[in-house]
Every structure is written in structure tokens, then in C-alpha cells.
Amino acid sequence: MNGTGQEGTHRTIERVARESYGRLVAYLSAHTRDVASAEDALSDALVAALTTWPQDGVPQNPDAWLLTAARHSFIDLVRHQQVALASEPSLLLLRENHKEATLSTEFPDERLKLLFVCAHPAIDPAMHTPLLLQTVLGLDAARIAHAFLVSPATMGQRLVRAKTKIRDGGIRFEVPQERDLPQRLDAVLEAIYAAFGIGWDDMEGVDQRGRELAEEAIWLGRVLLQLMPREAEVRGLLALMLHCEARRRARRGPEGRYIPLSEQDSEQWSLPLIEEAERHLAEASSRGRTGRFQLEAAIQSVHAERARSGRTEWGAIMLFYEQLIRISPTLGTRTGHAAAVAEARGPEAGLAVLDAIDPESVSGYQPYWAVRAHLLQRLAKTSEAADAFDRAIGLAEDPAVRQFLLQRRG
């Protein structure tokens, strides 16, 4: 195969790995009870594809090919470790399910099971979200570490320990009984939202992997809703993600220029996604159990109303933030509340809310400094605003956001 053909084949392998990684790992893990070995086996299969597909061509069913290769790799790994006898039940189960899976172009999607395995109460709660991000959505340790502000080596070690806990603790790969679902639900919701957030915040706002990660998170939210249709917070999370996703096209201007929500062209927002989000939010509200994700979705719902009315009801947003702070007094919530107060009651009132936040806690929190700079600028406190802008610019990781802040500073 010539160089152009090989390059196309490599792109195909990358696409298949990106789209199918979570499904393949979940399927293999569900039948081997060993997440780490399933990932190793799939990695071997992808390496084999890089060698074989450029020579023999891309198979008609790439997923089935990778599943077969990963299965053989897993069996070889077990034999190499000389624990074949102890692992024979898993090997037999893998063989039986593999035969069923390769008879068609599809195989059972076990990601929902793996979602709840990652949220098992026997696993360190701090690792629920990182474990889901890696095993279900295929993010590498370095990217996860960046999101959690730790070194890649540290995150890698923690992920290994969590997977060892799954294997050695005999944690079952199944969706828990209905009575056991609620105790794991919060962790699952947080993990799905974290995945959406990482995809949403992807650098430049145009990275294809970021878009796909956000879409995967929405897919997980839909699947979770099918399992737990009466859970208000599941609908709240789905409504929140759909409202945000509806504005994707309007977030960036020509050449990737950053556009803040208040300046976005609402005609570019997706009305079908907004309408779907509103249906889920209305159904969630009817359950009478208000939670964090419903309140965050309600805030986004008020913003979405601008597409119809042409204005933003900042008083309503401020009240929703006040309720949200009682449930989730995070830095993000309190900073958002300050911005809403400033719009509803003036920049001095918003600045007073910011001043009440512990200064040490916000030293590295970029949104705080961006909002503070904006309010100081509105109050014509030029020197203080410049200092705040400098802090916000220095903490901004997205080049487009930095450029936006530089322009505002000037």
C-alpha cells in the first residue's frame, strides 16, 4: 500500500479506536472481570491493526476484528501469567459471548454496566469520575490528570489501584438492583457531567475529540434515563447538557474567535435541542425533588429564553443561583452568582459577592478573575481592573479566551 493509502488506513484505525474504545473495553471487561487486562488486550489489538490493516485492507467489520484480536491477546496474557486454570471460567465465558458477538455487525453495549462498576462504593469515591473517563470514554491518564490538577504519573497510579480493586474485590459487572441504584447515582451523574465538561471546554472549541466526548456524555445521559426514568436529577443533567450543546455553533466566530454567552447570536442556537431540554426539565420539575443539575439546567433555560424574547431575565438567574449555592457552594457557583447579581443589581453588588469569597481559594481560579476584571472595568477602577485582567489572562489556557481578555483589557 502506498503512503497515501497507509495514511488513510491509520486515520481509519484512529477513528475506530476513538468511536469504539469504550464499547470494546466494556464488553471485554464484563466478561473477564478485569478492566486493566481488557485495556491491555485492546491496546495489543490496535497495535496489530496498525500492522495488518495497511497490508490487508480495513476489514468489513472493524469492531469485530478488534474484538477477536483482543480476545486472543487476553488469552495469551492469561497463559503467560500461568493462571489459566483460575481464569478458565472467564475464558470460557469470553469465548461463548465472542461467538455470539461476531455473528452480527453489533455486539452488546456493556458501557452502562461499566458505568456503575466505576461508581461502586468499594472504590475510592475520588476515583469514580477518573475511572469512568478512562475506561468508558477512553481518555488517557495525562488528559484526566490535567482536569484534576495532578501529575499524569499520580493519576496513572491511582487508576491502576482502582482497577486492581475491581479485579481483586470480585466486583460484579452488572447494573445494580433497583434498590442499590440511588447510592451510586450521584457518582455516575458527576462522572457523566465531568466528561461533558472536558469535551465542552476543549481547547479552541473546535477539537473533534472534544465534540465527540460531549456527544458521548449526552448518549450516556440518555441511556441512564432509560434505566431510571423517574429520577429527576437524571433528567436535570440531560437538560443541562442539551442546553449547553444547543449553543455550540455560536460559541466561536470566524477563525475560532471566542464569543461569550451574552454576545452570542441566539439565531445560531439549536431550537430542537433547546425544546428537548425544556421537556426534560419540565418533567424533572414535576417530580418535586429539586437538585443541583435541575437548578443548573434552569439557569441555562433562562438564558435560552433570549432566543424567543430577545432579553435575559437576570433576576431569575440570580434566584436560581441562590438556591444552587445552598446545595452546591462551589467556586463556580459562587462566581456565577456574582455575575448574575451584577447584571440584576449593578456591578458594585456583584463585586461585593466576589469580595466575600476566600481570597486563597480563588488564587488559581480563572473565571473569578475574569468576572472581577469585568466588574471593576464597569466601575471605572482602571488600575484594579488591569491587575485582575492580567490574572485572568495568565490563568487562561484557551488561546481564544486569552485573546478575548486581552482585547477587553485594552
Side-chain angles (χ1 to χ4, degrees):
M1 183 179 292
N2 60 36
T4 302
Q6 286 187 345
E7 184 178 344
T9 301
H10 288 167
R11 283 200 299 270
T12 299
I13 296 170
E14 290 174 3
R15 178 184 56 77
V16 171
R18 193 169 59 238
E19 295 174 353
S20 304
Y21 182 91
R23 288 196 304 135
L24 289 165
V25 167
Y27 181 84
L28 290 163
S29 300
H31 301 299
T32 63
R33 277 75 172 182
D34 189 340
V35 176
S37 294
E39 290 178 328
D40 289 342
L42 181 56
S43 295
D44 290 343
L46 290 169
V47 170
L50 286 169
T51 303
T52 305
W53 293 7
Q55 297 176 356
D56 300 343
V58 177
Q60 185 175 3
N61 187 346
D63 285 356
W65 191 99
L66 289 171
L67 185 61
T68 300
R71 166 182 167 267
H72 290 313
S73 177
F74 179 83
I75 293 172
D76 291 342
L77 175 65
V78 169
R79 287 172 177 162
H80 180 70
Q81 294 174 337
Q82 297 182 340
V83 291
L85 184 61
S87 301
E88 192 63 27
S90 292
L91 295 178
L92 288 173
L93 186 58
L94 185 59
R95 287 192 186 101
E96 292 168 2
N97 283 280
H98 173 73
K99 290 175 183 176
E100 296 175 6
T102 52
L103 290 176
S104 67
T105 59
E106 297 292 335
F107 51 88
D109 195 326
E110 305 282 18
R111 279 178 290 183
L112 190 60
K113 291 180 181 177
L114 192 52
L115 199 65
F116 281 95
V117 169
C118 293
H120 195 282
I123 298 171
D124 178 4
M127 291 308 300
H128 288 160
T129 295
L131 197 56
L132 177 142
L133 292 173
Q134 186 174 75
T135 60
V136 182
L137 297 174
L139 273 68
D140 59 36
R143 193 172 186 186
I144 298 169
H146 178 76
F148 284 83
L149 304 179
V150 299
S151 72
T154 298
M155 180 56 70
Q157 292 169 357
R158 292 176 183 174
L159 286 165
V160 168
R161 285 198 294 270
K163 293 168 192 174
T164 301
K165 180 72 175 182
I166 293 172
R167 184 193 64 204
D168 297 345
I171 293 175
R172 298 175 66 86
F173 278 78
E174 61 186 11
V175 175
Q177 296 294 318
E178 186 172 357
R179 65 177 181 274
D180 298 323
L181 285 173
Q183 67 175 330
R184 301 195 200 181
L185 180 59
D186 285 348
V188 170
L189 292 174
E190 290 290 347
I192 292 175
Y193 188 49
F196 181 83
I198 291 174
W200 181 252
D201 291 337
D202 230 334
M203 292 299 186
E204 311 274 342
V206 294
D207 184 270
Q208 181 63 23
R209 180 58 182 132
R211 178 186 293 274
E212 290 168 352
L213 188 59
E215 291 172 350
E216 282 283 283
I218 292 173
W219 176 86
L220 289 171
R222 294 188 195 281
V223 172
L224 190 60
L225 180 61
Q226 292 176 4
L227 178 69
M228 309 177 76
R230 293 187 294 275
E231 284 291 340
E233 276 292 81
V234 175
R235 288 189 184 273
L237 173 61
L238 186 53
L240 171 60
M241 294 190 294
L242 289 170
H243 266 309
C244 292
E245 186 65 17
R247 298 195 292 267
R248 179 178 290 277
R249 281 193 308 163
R251 294 176 66 210
R252 302 285 164 155
E255 301 178 356
R257 180 175 60 85
Y258 171 74
I259 303 176
L261 175 56
S262 60
E263 298 177 16
Q264 288 176 13
D265 178 5
S266 61
E267 291 187 0
Q268 292 190 45
W269 295 349
S270 169
L271 290 180
L273 288 181
I274 290 174
E275 290 168 358
E276 182 186 356
E278 289 297 295
R279 289 195 298 272
H280 288 303
L281 185 56
E283 177 63 26
S285 300
S286 71
R287 300 287 174 183
R289 297 190 301 275
T290 302
R292 169 198 164 193
F293 291 113
Q294 292 170 72
L295 288 170
E296 292 199 29
I299 290 169
Q300 299 307 320
S301 175
V302 178
H303 281 299
E305 181 65 15
R306 178 160 67 85
R308 185 186 67 82
S309 68
R311 64 179 186 274
T312 301
E313 295 293 344
W314 285 104
I317 291 176
M318 182 183 71
L319 293 175
F320 281 132
Y321 266 119
E322 289 174 359
Q323 295 179 59
L324 184 58
I325 285 175
R326 298 189 190 103
I327 298 174
S328 177
T330 64
L331 277 179
T333 299
R334 298 178 71 182
T335 301
H337 175 232
V341 169
E343 295 295 335
R345 296 179 177 172
E348 287 186 350
L351 195 60
V353 175
L354 289 180
D355 287 340
I357 302 176
D358 176 22
E360 291 186 7
S361 67
V362 299
S363 61
Y365 188 60
Q366 194 272 347
Y368 171 91
W369 294 103
V371 172
R372 187 175 189 86
H374 174 63
L375 299 186
L376 288 167
Q377 191 174 61
R378 286 178 60 185
L379 291 168
K381 296 184 177 183
T382 308
S383 177
E384 293 177 66
D387 290 342
F389 269 119
D390 288 343
R391 293 285 292 272
I393 292 165
L395 291 167
E397 296 183 348
D398 186 332
V401 172
R402 279 200 300 272
Q403 185 61 33
F404 169 81
L405 292 171
L406 281 166
Q407 291 174 345
R408 286 294 168 94
R409 185 187 189 282

